[in-house]
Amino acid sequence: MIRLRVLSGGLAGDETEARHFPFRVGRAPGADLRLEDPGVWEAHLELQRQPLAGFFLSANPEALTHVNGKPVQGTVRLCNGDTIEAGGARLQFWLGPAVQTGLGLREGLTWGGLAGLTLAQIVLMYWLTN
């Protein structure tokens, strides 16, 4: 799970989870994270996920965007804890805790299978000895 914490600006203190990619940040009504701070463009930046390579930030070439104080030209790979500046807003990118899906059904089927196998062995042993 990817999280963005707003460090400064109008939404300072808020946290947002990126549940799908690309994740768009900007002033536009359709943005996944909507920022109204000065210097934020309609489509300021977007976060992308590449399965074997990691997470990347692509900035609008005309928009003022920095990652860890360095200007973004094109696409930049993000690391846990990176600070993103989009106009007058500062965000922190980090990997949230992994959420484990419910495994109750799998565990129940496994224990049921083991119980069935044990019962079958007992029946087989009883049948062979008589």
Side-chain angles (χ1 to χ4, degrees):
M1 184 71 58
I2 301 304
R3 294 187 181 216
L4 289 173
R5 178 183 298 143
V6 181
L7 300 175
S8 68
L11 297 177
D14 285 0
E15 293 182 7
T16 302
E17 292 182 355
R19 297 181 181 266
H20 61 87
F21 296 94
F23 185 85
R24 292 176 177 86
V25 178
R27 199 178 273 274
D32 299 305
L33 175 57
R34 191 163 184 221
L35 300 172
E36 297 287 336
D37 300 302
V40 175
W41 289 53
E42 293 288 315
H44 200 99
L45 62 92
E46 71 178 27
L47 302 178
Q48 301 165 355
R49 178 180 169 265
Q50 295 179 8
L52 297 177
F55 297 94
F56 293 86
L57 179 144
S58 294
N60 181 332
E62 299 173 4
L64 181 63
T65 307
H66 292 84
V67 173
N68 297 326
K70 297 178 183 173
V72 174
Q73 302 293 329
T75 301
V76 175
R77 186 169 191 264
L78 293 172
C79 296
N80 196 32
D82 281 350
T83 302
I84 302 165
E85 295 175 40
R90 285 184 54 233
L91 311 167
Q92 183 180 27
F93 170 89
W94 90 95
L95 305 172
V99 179
Q100 184 174 2
T101 59
L103 299 176
L105 178 62
R106 288 183 190 174
E107 186 175 348
L109 290 173
T110 301
W111 283 111
L114 287 172
L117 183 61
T118 303
L119 182 63
Q121 287 178 343
I122 291 171
V123 168
L124 186 59
M125 285 176 24
Y126 179 75
W127 182 63
L128 290 175
T129 58
N130 285 333

